Each structure stands twice: as structure tokens, then as C-alpha cells.
Amino acid sequence: MKQNRQQKDQVMKMKRVTIYDVANYAGVSLATVSRVINGSDVVRGNTRQKVEEAIEKLGYKPNAIAQGLALQKTTTIALVIPEASFTYTGQVINGLLDVAKIDKYNVMLHTTTEGIAEISDIIENIIKSRVDGVIIYNDRLTQSEINELNQYNIPIVIIGNRTSDKKISSVFVDTERAVYELVKEYLERGVRDIVVLEDRKNNNASRLMANGAAKAFEEAGLSFEGFLRIPDEYRTTYKFMNEYMKTHRHELMLANRDSQAFAILNAAKENHIEIPTDMELVCVLDTKYNSMVRPEISSFAIPSYDLGSVSMRVMTKMLNNEEEENGKEIELSYLYTPRQSTK
Amino acid sequence: MKQNRQQKDQVMKMKRVTIYDVANYAGVSLATVSRVINGSDVVRGNTRQKVEEAIEKLGYKPNAIAQGLALQKTTTIALVIPEASFTYTGQVINGLLDVAKIDKYNVMLHTTTEGIAEISDIIENIIKSRVDGVIIYNDRLTQSEINELNQYNIPIVIIGNRTSDKKISSVFVDTERAVYELVKEYLERGVRDIVVLEDRKNNNASRLMANGAAKAFEEAGLSFEGFLRIPDEYRTTYKFMNEYMKTHRHELMLANRDSQAFAILNAAKENHIEIPTDMELVCVLDTKYNSMVRPEISSFAIPSYDLGSVSMRVMTKMLNNEEEENGKEIELSYLYTPRQSTK
DNA sequence: TTGAAAGCGCTAACAC
DNA sequence: GTGTTAGCGCTTTCAA
């Protein structure tokens, strides 16, 4: 069978070239080759040269798997994001990958599917693949699941939620405060009929938004009752809003994603509600499509790319055992950007 | 140093549990443990039980890296996509990952950055990480780069372009034919002033669209001169179109991405060109945002999810050495979907 | 400055 | 059925 493997390799054209081949070709020991590829400075220039030539000649590429075994580290991190969130996480991923590339880390992508309880499979998988760290977008993972990972003593960075622990750091934007500040301002202007629309795809974001609004109301001596749930029987935000707006209208509506705001926009139009004249509209997260609708939705400029790049940077630092980086909570700032959907 | 490592492990709470620990605990040899975790059926039920208990008790998870070394396979594939294409590739990735999950494959994500010539770095990286296969979205990679990968005899699946070779298969939609058929129909209706707008982010798609249109024109005894380039000085499609439409109008415009169609839509509005009355508009690729604009853009329903899932399935088959799967060109069908932007 | 050799954790002959 | 052992390709002591 060993024979078989080698034979097959022959047939398949070229045998994988290993560190042995290089050592042989260069007439040195494999230890020396190892030193060269790892940039050790004890190797004599002359020897180094020979080895480098051999590497070049043979087209040798170190086997990262073998290195991983020997070194007990894979220079790979796992990224876990909710499936179907690419529209909003695209920039986050780009930021993350750019930094990963610089630091020579590989990224293994895992997605969590809504509703399906296979998260434990993903965790199992992550453990088996011995990645050096895990970056998790959003709160799809419950505390207990995160704890399970944490047990394995593997550094974790959470994107989007403020959390921290011994080996857990987080990078996020304070949505709650963003909404709080906005609502507060409207309240001061005398606007009271404010509604926060639920985002069924992101409970946590919804909760934070509602909390922010509630806090502002509270401070004004009022109580907030404007959290608008989308009943299960409506398949889309648009369908619900279209129905809802036949009998309801508000002064200000807040949505999480721009796509929800667009749905509101269309439903409003259908119901002859003028935006921003009759109702104002703001969303938290937007995409490039927001510059393509009329009116453009006022939103918070969330630094998505940075959310990703900073996370990866934090991860690298944790991996380099810069202890002070552990358990950090890094808040990135947002910027409210008024557009045509507000007065 | 060996001491050191072990000490450190102790300090860091728990020593990684290996197959040896399990063997020890269960009072069998590591070979037997290996057999159990690999589902070999030669193990006696009684023994298997003991081993399974030990695994459970110790919380043992096989080290995929070590397995990879021993087996010469990583059960990991690399996915290469153009950076910033997540809006359109999101569904592709979802499809791919879903199948990968079923087949127990891991996916390493790599992105290619526009203009920057670090593709060779990515290839180098892919080789080093010893993935079992590579799936490439789109034609960012030139033939010579693909050849370089191919040298290593690693199965490749290309998404989006018809290509094939000894170890290369592809999964795609025939955009050229889609445009051909559409243009042909318009020509038959007497519409001649047809323009295909360039997609600077995707030359290949642009080319295919232009080819399709040209073919239809040719068959009608006409020559196609309606390929509209966006000059470099314009940063966005919108800026260009807004200028362009001051002096030009057409009967039918074709864009690749919905976002480009939206730009045209807005520019048209600004220039008092009514769609679809004064001009009709069709795009190839669309996203969920297309259902949120008015008028909705007529488009081709491209099975993005399937593009991903089928690719991964093909990859699995190639990896299982089902020779007949090599060099396959799999065409997925599209469906023209007329909406409000056409008469 | 270099080489020999012992692992890293696992699989798969081969022997019993 | 189960154990022994030789790799898989690399890193890192330890000696020379």
C-alpha cells in the first residue's frame, strides 16, 4: 500500500517535494533546511545559498500541515457568521481578511444556519481543526456555546456584542447608545410618536435598539412602548408594513437594516404617507444600495470594514500572548448621517 | 523546552488529550482507538464500548492536523472570490458551504483584491496549506495562474466561466446566450437601439454580454455597436450615466448588476426619461434589493445558490476520484424574468 | 554552524 | 480482533 501510494504519485506526475528532498539536493541535513525556511540567522551565508537554490530548483513549498503538527499551531483562525448575512457582513469579512493576509493567517469560514441546532457541530469541527483562534460575528452563539469553546482555551473575538472573559475579547459599535442619542434628540424636539421596528433576523440588535429608545424615554419621564413586532404570519417586512400602515402612522420609525427601511419606504408610498414630511425614517445598518434609493435613508455610518480589521488585529495580539489584550472590549464609533428620509 | 511546553500546558489548565490518552484510559492500543473513531467494523462491540466511553470521558477530539499529515489529505478546500463581491456571491457561498458541511469539508476563504498582483501569494498559500481542492469564483485568475495551480495536480472548479481541463471543471450560467436570446427578441420586435453597459468590475461578464448581443445583431444582418464603456474619469456608474443621458437615449439598456441598473434608473429619472416608457432596462444579476426599488428591474433569475452547491458537489466527486467528473462543464439554466422596467 | 534524533498525533500495514 | 511499528513532513533540542 505504501508502494501503491508512491506509484500513484509517480503516475500523477510529480512526487510532492519534501524537506528531505531539498536537504538531499543541497547536501545538508534537513535541520539546516528547516533553519533556512524559518529565517534562522545561525546558518552560514554559503550554506543558506545552497539551500535556497535547492528550494528554488525543486519548487519546494513547506507543508503547513506538518508544520502545524510540529508547532502545535496552524496559523489559521475560524470565522463564524450567520448564513445569509453576507450583504451586511461583506465589508467586515473584507477587513478581517485583509489583516489576516498581512499577518499570514488563514481563515476558515463557517456559517450558522438559522434555527438549525448544528452549532455544536461547528464547534466540534473548529476544535478538531485545531485553529489558533475563533472570531464570531453576532450573537447567534449562546453563552453556553461560547463557554464550550472557551473551555478549550482558544482565544475568541466576538464582533458586534460587548462581551469579554478570560480569553474573550470583543469589538463592537454601541447601537444602544446610538439609538438613545437619536431618540433623545427627537424627544427634545417634541417628537414622541417613535417606533422601533423589530428585526427578526437579529434579535440582539432589536433588543439594543429598543433599550436605547427606552432609556431616552425614561430620562424624559416617559415610558417607551413603541417596539413594533412583526407577527410570524407575515413573511416579509414589506407585507406587514403595508398592512400596518393602513391603520397606523408615526412620526419617526427606526429600522435595523436598510432593506427593512426600504420596505417601510415602499409601504409608506403605497399608503400615501410622504417621507420625510409625514413620517421620518432612520436605519442603523446600510449598504451601497442606500445611495440608490430615493429618498436615501438617514443612517448611522457603521465602520464595517474596521469591525473586521480590528477584530483580526485583536486576535493576532491575543495569539501573540500579549496578555493585556485578553478580555478587551473595544468600542468603535458610529456617526449619525442624516439624509433625505429625515427633516 | 519540552518540559516547558508540558508545564505550560499544565498551567493553561488542560493538557490536550490525544489518542494515546484514550488508549491508555480504555486499556487498549492506539490502533484500536483509531479504528473506533474511523468506524472500522472489525472492532468487537465490547472493546468499542470501552473506547467510546474513554473518548466521552476524556472529551477527546481527533486532531485533524495529525490526520491530515498521516492521510495526506486535509478535507479542506480553498475558495477564492473577488474581494467586495459578497453582495453577489453571498448566495453562492451559502450554497457551497451547505454542501461542504454535509460532506464534512472545511472551507478556507481567500479573496483577490482588485488590481493588486498578489494572486501568486494566494496560490502559494493554497499550495502550502495542502487543501484537497480549489474553487474559484469568476475569472480574476488568468489562465497562467490557473495553470500554476493545475501543476500541483489539485482539482479545480471554476464558477462562472466555461472552462475545463484535465483536473478542472466548471459550473456556470450561459450569460452570452441569455443576452443573445433577449436581444434577438427585441430585434424581432423592431427595437434596434440597444446598448450594453460595461461592468468595470467584471470584464468577463461584460464581454459575454456584448458577444451575445453582437451575435443576435449579426444574425439579423446588422452589426452591433452598442457596447457602452464607462470612461475611467467617472468614479461611479451613476455619475457617468447622469452625464451621458443628457445627450443620449436608447430603447433598451442592458446592465450586468442590479446596482448598475439602479444607477441608470436614477440617472434616467433625473433626465426625465421614463422607464419603461421611454427606455427599457434589463440587468443580469440581481439581489434582494431589486424587489425594493420602483420600478423593479427585469432580470435573469440566476441560480446563485445552486452555482455554489453544484460546484462543491462536483468538487467532492473529483476528490473521490470519480474520473468521469473531471473536466466537466456544467451549465445551469437561467430564467428571464420580466418586471416593471420593461414593457 | 551543522547534524542526529526525538517528538507532534494519527493511520495503516503487518504480525500475532 | 487487537497490538506493534513505521511512516506522514516538519521543528527543536542536544551534541559535535
Side-chain angles (χ1 to χ4, degrees), chain B residues 50-86:
Chain B
K50 277 194 305 185
V51 173
E52 275 163 353
E53 276 171 26
I55 289 176
E56 170 73 14
K57 188 84 170 79
L58 268 41
Y60 167 70
K61 312 269 186 217
N63 181 333
I65 298 300
Q67 288 180 315
L69 226 211
L71 249 33
Q72 304 273 55
K73 60 195 282 285
T74 52
T75 14
T76 297
I77 63 120
L79 172 62
V80 184
I81 63 170
E83 185 169 49
S85 74
F86 288 104

Side-chain angles (χ1 to χ4, degrees), chain B residues 1 28-29 31-32 35 42-44 47 69-70 72:
Chain B
M1 179 52 177
V28 299
S29 80
T32 301
R35 290 189 186 102
V42 305
V43 185
R44 204 197 307 148
T47 318
L69 226 211
Q72 304 273 55

Side-chain angles (χ1 to χ4, degrees), chain A residues 77 96 99-100 103 105 135 308-316:
Chain A
I77 65 120
L96 198 153
V99 173
D103 294 345
Y105 274 91
I135 300 185
S309 62
V310 171
S311 301
M312 188 62 211
R313 243 182 268 284
V314 171
M315 175 54 77
T316 314

Side-chain angles (χ1 to χ4, degrees), chain B residues 189-218:
Chain B
R189 276 197 247 155
V191 175
R192 299 230 170 318
D193 186 5
I194 298 175
V195 161
V196 170
L197 180 65
E198 173 185 25
D199 181 352
R200 288 187 295 197
K201 294 232 176 115
N202 196 334
N203 280 317
N204 191 53
S206 291
R207 211 193 58 230
L208 293 176
M209 291 176 69
N211 286 350
K215 198 171 150 206
F217 269 72
E218 220 165 275

Side-chain angles (χ1 to χ4, degrees), chain A residues 289-306:
Chain A
Y289 288 93
N290 190 22
S291 63
M292 299 173 183
V293 297
R294 299 296 128 85
E296 290 178 41
I297 312 292
S298 301
S299 71
F300 293 91
I302 305 285
S304 303
Y305 183 93
D306 298 344

Side-chain angles (χ1 to χ4, degrees), chain B residues 84-311:
Chain B
S85 74
F86 288 104
T87 318
Y88 295 94
T89 55
Q91 282 308 308
V92 178
I93 300 179
N94 282 332
L96 198 153
L97 285 177
D98 282 354
V99 173
K101 215 172 280 177
I102 293 169
D103 294 345
K104 307 276 185 196
Y105 274 90
N106 279 122
V107 174
M108 220 107 137
L109 184 60
H110 299 271
T111 52
T112 56
T113 315
E114 206 159 353
I116 303 183
E118 21 123 29
I119 292 194
S120 57
D121 284 355
I122 296 183
I123 295 181
E124 170 123 356
N125 204 271
I126 288 179
I127 299 301
K128 287 189 186 167
S129 58
R130 297 295 194 271
V131 293
D132 297 337
V134 181
I135 300 185
I136 300 167
Y137 183 93
N138 215 327
D139 63 334
R140 197 63 99 219
L141 269 64
T142 65
Q143 192 55 48
S144 84
E145 286 158 344
I146 292 179
N147 285 344
E148 188 178 339
L149 270 178
N150 209 11
Q151 259 193 347
Y152 290 92
N153 219 279
I154 172 171
I156 300 175
V157 174
I158 309 272
I159 303 180
N161 287 305
R162 159 181 272 136
T163 11
S164 60
D165 203 333
K166 194 162 42 83
K167 278 279 188 177
I168 304 181
S169 295
S170 58
V171 181
F172 59 93
V173 164
D174 192 341
T175 312
E176 184 173 326
R177 189 153 54 77
V179 171
Y180 161 75
E181 283 171 352
L182 186 78
V183 169
K184 182 178 171 185
E185 205 188 301
Y186 272 87
L187 285 175
E188 281 166 1
R189 276 197 247 155
V191 175
R192 299 230 170 318
D193 186 5
I194 298 175
V195 161
V196 170
L197 180 65
E198 173 185 25
D199 181 352
R200 288 187 295 197
K201 294 232 176 115
N202 196 334
N203 280 317
N204 191 53
S206 291
R207 211 193 58 230
L208 293 176
M209 291 176 69
N211 286 350
K215 198 171 150 206
F217 269 72
E218 220 165 275
E219 284 187 13
L222 303 165
S223 91
F224 177 66
E225 274 145 24
F227 186 65
L228 181 56
R229 279 230 154 63
I230 303 177
D232 289 341
E233 59 263 38
Y234 291 95
R235 247 195 49 255
T236 67
T237 303
Y238 172 72
K239 290 216 171 97
F240 168 63
M241 286 308 299
N242 205 4
E243 198 61 31
Y244 179 82
M245 290 195 142
K246 287 188 179 136
T247 50
H248 301 260
R249 39 200 63 197
H250 303 288
E251 292 181 274
L252 170 66
M253 279 199 73
L254 299 173
N256 183 34
R257 292 169 288 137
D258 61 0
S259 58
Q260 290 192 288
F262 297 160
I264 296 176
L265 215 53
N266 289 330
K269 205 175 292 171
E270 217 112 325
N271 286 282
H272 310 292
I273 299 174
E274 188 88 14
I275 288 177
T277 326
D278 304 332
M279 176 173 98
E280 298 185 69
L281 184 56
V282 174
C283 70
V284 176
L285 279 177
D286 63 359
T287 64
K288 65 173 178 174
Y289 288 94
N290 190 22
S291 63
M292 298 171 183
V293 297
R294 297 296 127 85
E296 291 179 40
I297 313 291
S298 301
S299 71
F300 293 91
I302 305 285
S304 303
Y305 183 94
D306 298 344
L307 238 24
S309 61
V310 170
S311 301

Side-chain angles (χ1 to χ4, degrees), chain A residues 1 28-29 31-32 35 42-44 47 69-70 72:
Chain A
M1 179 50 177
V28 299
S29 80
T32 301
R35 289 188 186 103
V42 304
V43 185
R44 204 196 308 147
T47 318
L69 225 211
Q72 305 273 54

